[in-house]
Amino acid sequence: MLSFGLVLGAVLAIALLYVAFADHRNRLAAAEQQNLALTAGAKRLVWLELRNLERAMRGIADDAQRLSEEAPERAVRLTAQSIAGVAQRQHELESIVLTDADGRALTPGRGDANLRRWPDMRTPQSGQAMVLGPLERRAGHWLLPLATPMRDGRWILARLHTGELQGLIDDLDTGRTRLIQLTQDDGHILADSRGVAHTGQRGAQPTPTATQSANHRVTDLHDGVTRMTTSGTAPDYPIVVSVGSSRAAVLAPWWRLVIAGLGLYALFGIGLAYLVRVLHRNAHHNAALVARLTETADGLRRAQELGRTGSWTANRSGTIHWSDRVSDLLGLDRVDVAGTVEEFYALVHPDDRERVMAQFAEAWRSGEPYSIDHRLVSPDGRMRWITTRGAAISGPEGTAEMAGTVLDITDRMDAQQRLEATELRYRLLFERNPLPFWVFDVATLRFVEVNEAACAQYGYTREEFLAMTILDIRPPEHRDSVLEDLVGHELGQQEQIRVWIHRRKDGRLLEVRVHAISIDLQGRECRLVLAENVTERMGQQRELAYRASHDMTSGLPNADALAQRVDAMPPGDCRVACIQLRGLELIEDSLGREAGHETLRAMATRIARLGERYGASGHVRADEFALVVCPAGEWDSALDLLQQELARPIPGEDTLHRLESWIGVCDLRAGENGSAQAIANAGLAAHVARTERRAVVVFEPGMARHASDRLLLAGRVHRAIDMEEFELHYQIVWDVAKGAAVGLETLIRWPQHDGGFVPPSEFIGLCEDTGLIVPLGRWTLREAAAAQRTLADSGLGHLSVAVNVSLMQFLDGDVAHDIEHVLQEFGLQRGALHIELTESVLMTRPEQALETLRTLQRQGVCISLDDFGTGYSSMSYLKQLPLDAIKIDRSFVRDVHRDERNASICEALLALGHGLGLKVIGEGVETQEQFEWLRRHRCDQVQGYGIHRPAPLAETIAHLRDTDAWIDGPWRAPEAAERR
């Protein structure tokens, strides 16, 4: 026991030494990793600071170059003004000046005669166009000269306060024992985490020769502290970032661990001494226990009998004697305790008999012990499994007899057969499974088993798989993550389902969803893995994600994706421009859908280029784009380029396409409303610009309120349509020649609870913008048809009813079907229903309009052209339309009796209408003089407030029944204050 304790002590000592060594190494490695992380972060901050300054100086250089080319005589003065503007924004710069090739100042400020001899003066690398000069001190402040070359050899020279760099590293979390320095190539300190007092001194940190970080052990010349230092050069700029950690501070916890280990080892020695003493005392007690164990040996034999075990002996003559338990196993009476070898063999199963006989004979010959499992068939036909063990007993004359035992193993063999059957089923389930399965050893990472589906999925044979490790099916760059994933899993624990990248034999990569669980396979810790190939599914998910965040025609981000991208940009004030286009529908209708898409993509490409230059861009709606300009100071140049791109024609297959555009603008200030709201506000401003026909409109809060009011009104209109709150009033159309009413025109009214009406001008335009004009128009058609049915039932069936049809209802709805339906529903005669259309309805889609008009004419519907003379109809196209009448707009009728120009227009329209064989109807007749003029010039029909003020159907019918008293009496023109 003492030897064991000494060995255990040695093992413990080795373990403690290993732990101490590993902890020492890990602490140093952790400190190095932290240094690397801080070095990388500091390099990134320095690079961003210098890159921003480089962009600002590059912008000045470009402006100065352009001014020299466009206005050389004013170039220096304008450049000085540009520099002054930049200097006001870049407070970290002490000065900015334009110099000649030798460093002499051309604008107010100090030049640098040594500029061409700067150590960093070299040919700029790709992506870098700024060089750094030697550190200089002025007015008690350290300055870092920066210079950006121009194409004509001049320079933009700036001097950066090193305090800006000092602020960068002061914001880093360095702790109390870590040092961060920024130095130039020559070793002079630009910034030090210990304070600005070290600026300008020569640093003790080594200078790396590349942008890659390097680790060193350095003793500081200033404070004598030995530090583990990581250094690296900032990308594109000769500034070295060094991060150092005190070695003593890093190893202080390790020394405490060493002391604790020594204490633990001392406790072990004390415990070992005590244990040896206790064991020596217990040795005396063990001797007494041996005696007691001897006494229990007989009891053990009896227990073997109870354990279904029997004994037997056999001699050379072939006689066998056995115990009662063997008789029970053989299915014999207990009185039969002896027999011959042949009788025993007769009870052995025929399939096992030859094997048992051979084993028995070999035991007699060799004298070696044997053990064999076989089956017995009792006289009653029952079969049992037994284990027969035996050994020859040698006497003075050689082997005299053989003795042994018989153990009933029927239950064990039955269980084993069931286990083998189960194992076979599971093996078939594993090998024939259509999903790829494999098992690998966690210790060696080698494949232990693999099924056919895995071989098919990865292209390897089973033999190739079993000679590989799981690292062989992973890309090299993912192997470290595989090893990390193997740590910390317990036996039987199912791992989190993850998607991994695997590699086939032919090199193709697969995305697989891995289901894994740790198992114990014959004492080895293994892992059972199901590798479901989800490459196609993941591709579809990525495609769906792209479709959810981008417009598929233009390829630009949609509104939500654009807002997320802007929110992720560095904080700062931006401006959002929303561009609405018009003309794409005409291109699609004229040249085809693909031509419209090509035009849209061409415009999207232009806007995308501006987005890359100034910030971001997106496709927020079908004909609406967004451009985000960050910072907002670049808005003027961005707007100028944007308007140029919008105005520039887009080449088509055989022509040039020009699109109308309107721009809405909204400011996006840091800390205020989010990007999504700013994009929405810019879209609202663009809608206002389109409505008011203005090129650019800046968003104002009142626009949102107006839009909200329109939205609320749209909800009220929708509810009013559903609740049938609208009603129709009717105005009589008077035939001048007959002196009688010939029809009624419907005018929609929206009564309110206070007895008033909402003017149609407030909700008709809204209905057209929101599409509610279509259901409202269907309701109007049905009400007008019902009114004509009422007129017919009242004996006034000769009067037609006219209904105005809007552009959207005529083009986007199925107006021909709607009219056919109401004609059949109310049983109206041909000519009973008239519809009135404006010139814009007919000229928007001429072919569609002509086909619909012909269908309506076949249904017996009369068609009038409303507000004739106010649009831009083509006379050649007008003569092809199946019209019945044209209506002279009220603006021409108003002063026709006293305005020669109005009179000339009306005479021309009357002549044109009669020349085309159409009836001519004068609208807005309010005075007797207007009526008399139209009658003298053979106007067919008139209507207006002077003839009849619109009224509900019942009142209009009452007027019609008393027409003589109403029209033949003194002329009393109603006041014309109210307008439909």
Side-chain angles (χ1 to χ4, degrees), residues 552-564:
M552 298 310 296
T553 302
S554 65
L556 293 180
N558 58 23
D560 293 338
L562 177 61
Q564 294 174 5

Side-chain angles (χ1 to χ4, degrees), residues 815-829:
V815 67
H817 176 269
D818 295 339
I819 292 176
E820 181 183 11
H821 178 73
V822 298
L823 291 176
Q824 294 177 355
E825 180 181 359
F826 293 99
L828 304 184
Q829 301 295 322

